[in-house]
Amino acid sequence: MFLINWFRDVLNWFGLGKKSAKIVFLGLDNAGKTTLLHVLKDNVLQIHEPTLQPTMEEIEIGNIKFDAFDLGGHKEARRIWQKYYATVDAVIFMIDVAKKTRLKEAKMELNSLLKCEVLDTIPFLILGNKIDKKKALSEEEIRIELGLPFSQSNYLSKNKNIRPLELFMCSVKERMGFKEGFQWLGKQL
Ligand SMILES: Nc1nc2c(ncn2[C@@H]2O[C@H](COP(=O)(O)OP(=O)(O)OP(=O)(O)O)[C@@H](O)[C@H]2O)c(=O)[nH]1
Ligand SMILES: [Mg+2]
């Protein structure tokens, strides 16, 4: 019962009501995607092996359906990301904000997603994860490093459409920050 209520809360964060949405979790390896998915699904923080094969978690309560695709972030795995683009309603792009040395690589992957024609108007929720770590960069530093706008209305997609895109800093470990991100995303769907 607790779990069911908890799922309902999760879905309410999305503002999904009776909607259904397909979401992909993307980002470099080790960012925390699988950890987040399982916190959302079971409310448990587990240690996961790096994701080698894409997995899909489907949560259905009443007529609410939420499909989350968890794709591996290591170099080989990134090649298949594009197979999922055509049908997605939203992208969650996760970044390890405590790993400064990999921000350039994360920026490159994010930019190539943003340039992708089929994702032109798809909302992007960027989660700056691991703010619990000592070395975590601030939100401002992350915006600068990734070249993200400070104001939402500035963000134009490749075809000059306004694309919903927002950064939320979070810690999956401390269960902080991502809820606000999902609330924002729910409004864009
Ligand atoms: N400190 C801290 N560690 C975290 C947090 N979230 C995830 N981690 C850790 O980061 C590591 C990688 O997490 P995963 O969820 O496996 O990362 P992933 O993005 O799925 O990685 P791939 O499957 O390789 O693409 C694990 O050791 C997690 O415990 C967080 O909020 N804070
Ligand atoms: Mg994973």
Side-chain angles (χ1 to χ4, degrees):
M1 199 54 205
F2 166 75
L3 274 184
I4 292 176
N5 285 337
W6 203 84
F7 286 154
R8 230 170 248 146
D9 280 351
V10 170
L11 292 161
N12 286 337
W13 299 348
F14 278 94
L16 279 182
K18 291 191 174 54
K19 287 185 244 175
S20 86
K22 272 193 188 168
I23 295 159
V24 278
F25 285 68
L26 303 178
L28 303 187
D29 48 293
N30 209 48
K33 302 178 291 296
T34 306
T35 312
L36 172 62
L37 187 63
H38 286 270
V39 164
L40 288 173
K41 192 176 162 254
D42 306 321
N43 199 17
V44 287
L45 196 84
Q46 292 169 324
I47 304 293
H48 298 278
E49 292 294 317
T51 307
L52 300 177
Q53 297 297 330
T55 59
M56 197 269 275
E57 298 290 349
E58 189 179 84
I59 302 167
E60 237 184 302
I61 304 160
N63 34 12
I64 305 166
K65 199 173 150 201
F66 157 47
D67 293 343
F69 292 87
D70 178 22
L71 308 186
H74 59 279
K75 245 198 162 110
E76 296 297 305
R78 284 178 223 163
R79 289 199 203 131
I80 62 142
W81 284 3
Q82 53 187 300
K83 282 193 187 162
Y84 290 80
Y85 297 168
T87 56
V88 310
D89 300 304
V91 172
I92 296 180
F93 191 87
M94 204 159 200
I95 292 162
D96 178 347
V97 299
K99 201 86 191 158
K100 197 171 180 194
T101 52
R102 296 197 72 191
L103 285 176
K104 239 191 201 146
E105 190 185 358
K107 180 183 180 180
M108 211 179 71
E109 291 296 347
L110 176 62
N111 281 343
S112 77
L113 290 171
L114 292 172
K115 276 190 214 136
C116 210
E117 200 75 31
V118 281
L119 295 174
D120 196 54
T121 55
I122 299 293
F124 271 61
L125 167 60
I126 303 170
L127 291 176
N129 189 31
K130 309 197 189 180
I131 56 170
D132 57 281
K133 285 193 152 183
K134 268 208 191 99
K135 285 188 177 166
L137 271 68
S138 70
E139 176 172 346
E140 193 182 8
E141 288 169 313
I142 291 294
R143 283 189 190 272
I144 292 167
E145 289 279 344
L146 297 181
L148 295 176
F150 279 81
S151 151
Q152 165 68 217
S153 54
N154 290 341
Y155 197 81
L156 292 181
S157 74
K158 193 179 159 204
N159 291 339
K160 308 272 182 275
N161 292 312
I162 290 180
R163 178 215 301 284
L165 175 146
E166 196 48 279
L167 166 71
F168 287 83
M169 302 296 276
C170 72
S171 165
V172 176
K173 191 177 163 197
E174 304 291 334
R175 291 177 171 72
M176 278 170 54
F178 54 88
K179 182 172 171 174
E180 290 76 4
F182 285 114
Q183 278 167 341
W184 171 83
L185 186 61
K187 290 187 198 133
Q188 320 304 323
L189 292 170

